């Protein structure tokens, strides 16, 4: 979550599709749309409605399902509005009515007066609960942004990092030309979902999928290469750090040492790729991606290779022992 | 031209890790460096070459260096063999 607070209006503005859609609309208390949602959690206000306000989790979104709504109806018939008064004395971020339900007139009146937004959804409570928790945990997930290019190569999300001018964008451009996909250029916003998955996306939808190439200026990847060449977000599974070739530095020649980079507490495999004329970086990255897939399938080229060498050396050893023995045969 | 004779002292022989170590060390020198096992002679700056040598425990290896810094190069490579490639 960035410094900017997340308000009820932001929740209504979220453009979520298909299985993530919340189907919400505001039915009252518009004054309060600027209220902040500060906790990624929900509360069923049953106990509060019955008059018990101890430990009332007012900071959370309040979900009114069929049960709560039936109880509200009963309260309204009996004219017991003091509960409403008490309820809205708390700065509740929003009351959400599921199953397309709506509260009675009195409830509306008190909500309007208190400036508490009333929100309605078509979804049943259980489905809505799981969706909104998913959405909120996404929004409240730890977040950072890194300088680099995020591309999807053979299905693996690769973050290309390196100092400016080392050729990150040019490398990405060549990868796109070769049929891979651009997720974000320059600034990659990263969210840690579920504590272990790093989702990367462009920092801004407006800037999204444009690239700056020295000598060309700003180009629009979607228009130039088509929608097949872009992707909105992708899990970061590998980091390729490009750097100018340093003859003093020792680069990995075998591939059995596994370096990782920590992003938001998650260790991501990292390769250091030295750049110099004559080294075709896009092809190296393509190969790295395929190698990463092989590793995920359980085949580690470098380790397997070394194991074979060790076995072979061992057998040579064994043979030497026999050949040197006088009583052999 | 400088020559050194060594025997492989680590049990596992020259597998990928020691080979990488040799190449790293050899690359620091300008001199041409070779490793010889029997009739095979390979460039000590090539990982795959060193591995295919199949140098197992007890194999005698001849280190040859040729160039301006050949003395240092031969000594550095020899030191690696003597230190058992920091294994065991």
């Amino acid at each position: 979550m960035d410094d900017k607070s997340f308000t009820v209006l932001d929740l209504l503005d979220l453009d979520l599709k298909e299985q993530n859609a919340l189907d919400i609309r505001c039915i009252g208390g518009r004054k309060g749309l600027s209220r902040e949602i500060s906790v990624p959690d929900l509360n069923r206000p049953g106990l509060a409605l019955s008059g018990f306000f101890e430990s009332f989790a007012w900071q959370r979104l309040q979900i009114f399902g069929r049960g709560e709504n039936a109880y509200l109806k009963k309260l309204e018939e009996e004219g017991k509005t003091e509960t409403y008064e008490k309820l809205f004395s708390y700065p509740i971020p929003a009351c959400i009515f599921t199953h397309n339900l709506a509260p009675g007139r009195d409830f509306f009146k008190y909500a309007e007066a208190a400036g508490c937004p009333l929100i309605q959804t078509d979804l049943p409570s259980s489905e809505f609960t799981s969706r909104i928790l998913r959405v909120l945990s996404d929004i409240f997930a730890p977040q950072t942004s890194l300088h680099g290019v995020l591309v999807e190569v053979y299905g693996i999300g690769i973050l290309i990092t390196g100092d400016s001018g080392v050729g990150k964008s040019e490398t990405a451009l060549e990868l796109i030309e070769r049929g891979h996909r651009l997720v974000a250029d320059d600034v990659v916003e990263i969210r840690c979902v579920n504590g272990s998955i790093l989702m990367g996306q462009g920092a801004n939808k407006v800037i999204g999928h444009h690239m700056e190439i020295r000598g060309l200026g700003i180009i629009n990847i979607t228009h130039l290469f088509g929608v097949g060449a872009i992707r909105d977000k992708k899990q970061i599974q590998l980091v390729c750090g490009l750097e100018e070739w340093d003859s003093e530095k020792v680069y990995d020649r075998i591939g059995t040492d596994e370096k990782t980079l920590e992003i938001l507490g998650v260790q991501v495999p990292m390769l250091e790729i030295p750049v110099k004329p004559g080294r075709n970086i896009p092809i190296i990255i393509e190969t790295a991606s395929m190698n990463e897939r092989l590793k995920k399938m359980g085949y580690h080229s470098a380790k397997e290779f070394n194991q074979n060498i060790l076995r072979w050396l061992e057998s040579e050893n064994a043979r030497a022992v026999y050949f040197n023995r006088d009583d052999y045969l | 031209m400088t020559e050194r004779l060594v025997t492989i002292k680590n049990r596992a022989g020259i597998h990928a890790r020691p080979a990488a170590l040799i190449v790293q060390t050899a690359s620091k020198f300008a001199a041409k460096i070779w490793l010889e096992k029997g009739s095979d002679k390979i460039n000590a700056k090539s990982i795959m070459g060193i591995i295919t040598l199949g140098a197992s425990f007890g194999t005698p290896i001849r280190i040859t260096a040729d160039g301006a810094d050949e003395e240092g190069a031969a000594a550095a490579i020899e030191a690696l063999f003597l230190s058992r490639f920091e294994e065991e």
Side-chain angles (χ1 to χ4, degrees):
Chain A
M1 187 75 200
D2 48 21
D3 308 333
K4 219 177 115 251
S5 57
F6 187 75
T7 63
V8 181
L9 191 62
D10 292 332
L11 183 70
L12 285 162
D13 277 347
L14 285 179
D15 184 22
L16 299 161
K17 306 246 156 51
E18 290 157 13
Q19 78 279 13
N20 294 319
L22 292 173
D23 290 329
I24 47 175
R25 60 207 156 262
C26 182
I27 53 168
R30 270 164 223 284
K31 267 197 308 197
L33 285 178
S34 57
R35 284 195 179 179
E36 186 190 340
I37 301 173
S38 56
V39 207
D41 214 338
L42 307 173
N43 184 46
R44 299 290 292 253
L47 274 177
L49 292 179
S50 70
F52 187 75
F53 281 92
E54 258 171 63
S55 297
F56 174 49
W58 56 268
Q59 311 88 333
R60 304 181 183 181
L61 292 170
Q62 308 293 323
I63 304 288
F64 290 74
R66 281 200 175 121
E68 286 83 356
N69 212 54
Y71 191 74
L72 284 182
K73 206 158 265 166
K74 196 179 130 237
L75 284 181
E76 209 124 322
E77 277 163 13
E78 294 167 5
K80 289 182 178 163
T81 53
E82 62 271 29
T83 319
Y84 294 170
E85 212 162 314
K86 187 87 195 272
L87 181 70
F88 287 116
S89 69
Y90 293 93
I92 299 167
C95 295
I96 300 176
F97 291 83
T98 57
H99 293 287
N100 238 343
L101 296 167
R105 187 166 302 169
D106 285 343
F107 193 89
F108 261 105
K109 213 167 64 198
Y110 278 93
E112 286 289 349
C116 174
L118 301 182
I119 288 169
Q120 192 182 46
T121 171
D122 307 337
L123 298 168
S125 307
S126 54
E127 179 61 29
F128 181 77
T129 310
S130 68
R131 287 189 193 189
I132 192 144
L133 281 177
R134 207 162 54 216
V135 169
L136 289 177
S137 78
D138 239 26
I139 287 160
F140 283 82
Q143 179 177 324
T144 183
S145 60
L146 285 181
H147 179 65
V149 191
L150 181 59
V151 281
E152 182 208 73
V153 180
Y154 294 126
I156 299 268
I158 301 185
L159 179 68
I160 305 171
T161 61
D163 294 335
S164 72
V166 80
K168 295 183 294 291
S169 296
E170 288 75 6
T171 301
L173 190 62
E174 166 92 42
L175 284 168
I176 295 162
E177 173 69 40
R178 294 175 63 86
H180 305 293
R181 295 186 174 127
L182 174 74
V183 185
D185 182 40
D186 206 37
V187 180
V188 183
E189 204 177 86
I190 303 168
R191 275 192 177 143
C192 175
V193 190
N194 299 334
S196 62
I197 292 169
L198 294 172
M199 285 306 270
Q201 61 184 85
N204 190 326
K205 277 228 160 96
V206 185
I207 310 174
H209 306 121
H210 283 75
M211 283 177 100
E212 192 236 301
I213 301 287
R214 310 279 139 99
L216 284 185
I218 303 223
I219 55 170
N220 184 330
I221 298 299
T222 322
H223 287 174
L224 282 169
F225 297 94
V227 280
I230 56 159
R231 210 189 142 124
D232 282 338
K233 52 168 120 173
K234 175 71 193 169
Q235 188 191 346
I236 299 173
Q237 291 152 302
L238 181 67
V239 177
C240 288
L242 304 188
E243 53 186 60
E244 300 278 355
W245 188 293
D246 178 358
S247 54
E248 295 295 305
K249 193 171 167 179
V250 176
Y251 295 102
D252 192 5
R253 299 280 298 253
I254 312 250
T256 44
D257 293 343
E258 291 187 352
K259 279 203 179 119
T260 55
L261 178 72
E262 191 184 312
I263 304 174
L264 295 172
V266 180
Q267 300 289 342
V268 192
M270 166 156 193
L271 302 173
E272 280 172 332
I273 301 177
V275 177
K276 80 175 181 185
R279 275 173 67 84
N280 189 330
I281 305 300
I283 297 211
I284 293 175
I285 290 182
E286 265 186 355
T287 313
S289 170
M290 290 191 277
N291 204 30
E292 191 61 27
R293 290 189 63 174
L294 265 188
K295 282 188 202 169
K296 282 194 198 300
M297 290 171 175
Y299 184 91
H300 194 302
S301 312
K303 281 189 185 148
E304 192 86 6
F305 175 77
N306 199 30
Q307 233 122 53
N308 288 339
I309 296 292
L310 283 169
R311 210 171 298 135
W312 175 53
L313 288 174
E314 196 53 46
S315 68
E316 290 270 293
N317 248 341
R319 236 179 297 158
V321 170
Y322 281 114
F323 287 150
N324 293 338
R325 265 167 59 176
D326 298 335
D327 58 346
Y328 182 59
L329 287 180
Chain B
M1 186 84 87
T2 309
E3 272 189 23
R4 298 289 164 95
L5 267 174
V6 287
T7 329
I8 293 177
K9 289 209 167 70
N10 63 319
R11 276 277 157 197
I14 302 184
H15 53 102
R17 206 192 61 87
L21 219 58
I22 294 174
V23 171
Q24 268 168 33
T25 313
S27 305
K28 288 180 195 153
F29 297 93
K32 289 202 158 88
I33 309 167
W34 295 275
L35 299 183
E36 271 174 84
K37 173 195 160 197
S39 56
D40 296 334
K41 183 173 181 177
I42 53 89
N43 183 348
K45 293 177 186 177
S46 140
I47 281 205
M48 289 311 235
I50 295 175
I51 292 171
T52 42
L53 210 52
S56 51
F57 176 65
T59 314
I61 300 278
R62 183 198 303 274
I63 306 165
T64 328
D66 187 14
D69 47 4
E70 56 182 56
E71 283 290 338
I77 303 284
E78 186 186 21
L80 276 182
F81 279 87
L82 294 179
S83 70
R84 304 179 175 198
F85 305 104
E86 295 152 24
E87 280 182 359
E88 294 161 24

